[in-house]
Amino acid sequence: MSIRTTEIIVGAFVLACGLALAFLAVRVSGVDLEGNRDAIMLSARFDEVGGLSSRAKVSMAGVTIGRVIDIDIDTEFGEAIVTMAIDGRLSKLSLDTGARILTEGVLGGKYVGLIPGADEEYLVSGDVIVDTQGAILLENLIGEFVTGAGSK
Amino acid sequence: MIRLLRILGQIALGRFAQIGRASIMWGSALNSLPKTSDARLFIDQIYVIGVKSLILIVMSAFSIGAVLALQFYTQLVRFGAEEAVGVGVAMVLLRELGPVVTALLFAGRAGSAITAEIGLMNATDQLSSMEMMGVDPLKRIVAPRLWAGFFCLPMLAIIFSAVGIWSSGLVGVDWLGIESVGFWAGMLDTVELWEDIGKGIVKTLVFALIVTWIAVFQGYDSEPTSEGISSATTRTVIFSSVAVLTLDFFLTLVMYGDF
């Protein structure tokens, strides 16, 4: 086989690989938030995160707008500190935005839901969300129900 | 007793010497490329190792993707979660099956060919006559194959995963009737560029290194007889397969293990 033909075929092979990688990146993995350098980093303190994991979704009005990056514990106050990366395009999250930990469906994973606020100032990277509501543990609810029913 | 110890010692020393020879070969071969003057040899090897494995890879990927889609579907449809087929297939292919199956097929298709080729060169004294002519066989024969193998396997694995996911879409969406938007959107939502695709590629790089190294060294170090070549070829396939499967466990443990 001539040198030229080999070169053309190898070139086509490399191109096919590039196309396959592009397919995987765009069609399968999508544009990634972690790769977005201007992501807004917010943290929030919760009294209970109950099964939230890092890489869990952060959503507002049901739309995914970010991911949980890190979960840490503050032993002094016994609170969990959840760090989130929010899509950098959403620069207008008002200062009094609230955060709750919610469950997807009955058996789904935990995620952070942001509740829009009304303040005219906006959150910037590094800010802390103050208005939070931790995870509601099903077993606690059942416990309360059982003891509540018993005391009547 | 003493004799037994002596035999064991000899076997152990032989193994050490083999590993030593393999490392020396590797080191000096890696040293000698890439140079622009050798690009020709490198491109030829990419053709022989990579392009000629392509049909095998694409066909296997197609059927594996299709089978995965079918199996996931029959289990998931009972929970009404058939849209999760896309995520399942994508995760399995990108993280595990893509790298591992490609490496195994590659060892069988290209690894054995490399071993047999170099082994025969060795048996017919082509390597020593090259040395006689002042051509370093490590640079001329070994290095291009090592480098080509190192580049080809990741490329093949990427193609494998892409074709597998595409064929699972074909079976899942077009044949089984999973809703197309859910199938692809679930994937977009869950699969991440570095965590799933990137780490899969890291795996294939490790496999590529190991498989081509074993293949080239077995050929280079084979006994210069026809039995020698045949056992070297067998060893290439066995060692590479075992190495790939064992390493896969440890790589998964290190990269995804939560401990």
Side-chain angles (χ1 to χ4, degrees):
Chain A
M1 192 182 295
S2 81
I3 290 169
R4 187 98 182 112
T5 327
T6 322
E7 277 174 359
I8 291 169
I9 294 173
V10 169
F13 171 58
V14 174
L15 209 67
C17 162
L19 282 179
L21 189 61
F23 167 77
L24 289 182
V26 175
R27 196 75 205 268
V28 180
S29 89
V31 185
D32 204 88
L33 274 174
E34 278 173 350
N36 186 355
R37 291 224 181 83
D38 359 291
I40 306 171
M41 305 294 281
L42 298 176
S43 56
R45 304 174 76 96
F46 291 98
D47 55 346
E48 170 69 57
V49 289
L52 187 77
S53 61
S54 54
R55 291 181 64 215
K57 279 193 273 187
V58 178
S59 73
M60 181 179 252
V63 182
T64 305
I65 57 168
R67 297 262 170 203
V68 171
I69 298 294
D70 185 42
I71 300 172
D72 210 353
I73 177 86
D74 177 357
T75 43
E76 200 180 335
F77 297 100
E79 286 178 327
I81 304 167
V82 175
T83 313
M84 297 166 277
I86 310 290
D87 192 340
R89 284 165 297 180
L90 304 171
S91 53
K92 293 191 172 175
L93 290 171
S94 67
L95 204 56
D96 59 348
T97 297
R100 304 181 279 181
I101 294 180
L102 302 166
T103 313
E104 237 173 327
V106 184
L107 297 169
K110 294 271 195 292
Y111 69 100
V112 179
L114 296 184
I115 311 147
D119 205 299
E120 303 219 330
E121 282 182 64
Y122 300 119
L123 284 167
V124 292
S125 204
D127 277 355
V128 180
I129 295 176
V130 191
D131 176 20
T132 63
Q133 183 193 329
I136 295 165
L137 298 180
L138 200 59
E139 53 269 37
N140 286 1
L141 280 185
I142 294 169
E144 270 170 38
F145 176 73
V146 169
T147 49
S151 69
K152 267 182 193 169
Chain B
M1 189 65 203
I2 300 276
R3 263 184 64 191
L4 185 69
L5 277 178
R6 197 180 288 157
I7 293 169
L8 281 178
Q10 249 164 15
I11 293 172
L13 285 181
R15 287 272 165 249
F16 286 147
Q18 207 171 27
I19 294 171
R21 279 200 305 278
S23 309
I24 292 168
M25 180 200 80
W26 198 34
S28 46
L30 288 190
N31 242 333
S32 56
L33 255 174
K35 259 184 282 167
T36 41
S37 56
D38 293 333
R40 198 53 262 132
L41 296 168
F42 179 58
I43 290 177
D44 276 342
Q45 284 309 316
I46 289 194
Y47 176 73
V48 173
I49 294 174
V51 178
K52 285 191 169 172
S53 311
L54 197 57
I55 294 176
L56 172 71
I57 295 293
V58 168
M59 284 173 62
S60 320
F62 189 85
S63 39
I64 285 181
V67 161
L68 280 178
L70 273 177
Q71 291 286 11
F72 270 107
Y73 182 80
T74 47
Q75 298 304 317
L76 288 170
V77 78
R78 291 190 292 178
F79 308 106
E82 65 267 24
E83 280 175 8
V85 168
V87 185
V89 172
M91 284 297 195
V92 167
L93 277 175
L94 290 170
R95 287 186 170 198
E96 296 294 341
L97 283 188
V100 171
V101 175
T102 314
L104 293 178
L105 291 173
F106 185 82
R109 163 66 185 79
S112 57
I114 294 173
T115 309
E117 191 187 10
I118 299 181
L120 191 68
M121 283 183 182
N122 192 17
T124 52
D125 291 326
Q126 290 182 48
L127 294 182
S128 23
S129 31
M130 269 187 190
E131 247 169 297
M132 212 77 98
M133 289 188 288
V135 178
D136 188 354
L138 283 178
K139 281 187 188 164
R140 179 94 196 159
I141 303 295
V142 170
R145 284 169 179 73
L146 275 179
W147 280 103
F150 184 66
F151 280 103
C152 282
L153 182 46
M155 293 205 283
L156 290 171
I158 290 168
I159 293 175
F160 186 96
S161 298
V163 171
I165 290 170
W166 172 70
S167 85
S168 77
L170 212 61
V171 168
V173 176
D174 296 333
W175 183 35
L176 297 172
I178 301 171
E179 200 229 322
S180 161
V181 176
F183 184 89
W184 293 106
M187 245 185 243
L188 281 179
D189 222 24
T190 319
V191 176
E192 293 197 6
L193 194 58
W194 166 245
E195 193 66 23
D196 301 311
I197 299 178
K199 285 183 176 175
I201 293 176
V202 170
K203 267 188 182 177
T204 64
L205 286 173
V206 176
F207 295 160
L209 208 68
I210 293 293
V211 171
T212 39
W213 188 19
I214 290 176
V216 172
F217 179 70
Q218 289 297 343
Y220 195 67
D221 205 49
S222 66
E223 255 179 70
T225 57
S226 30
E227 292 87 26
I229 297 171
S230 107
S231 71
T233 316
T234 313
R235 261 178 298 168
T236 295
V237 176
I238 293 174
F239 286 177
S240 328
S241 310
V242 173
V244 164
L245 293 170
T246 326
L247 268 175
D248 181 52
F249 173 72
F250 287 106
L251 285 172
T252 305
L253 195 67
V254 169
M255 292 197 291
Y256 299 113
D258 200 13
F259 57 90

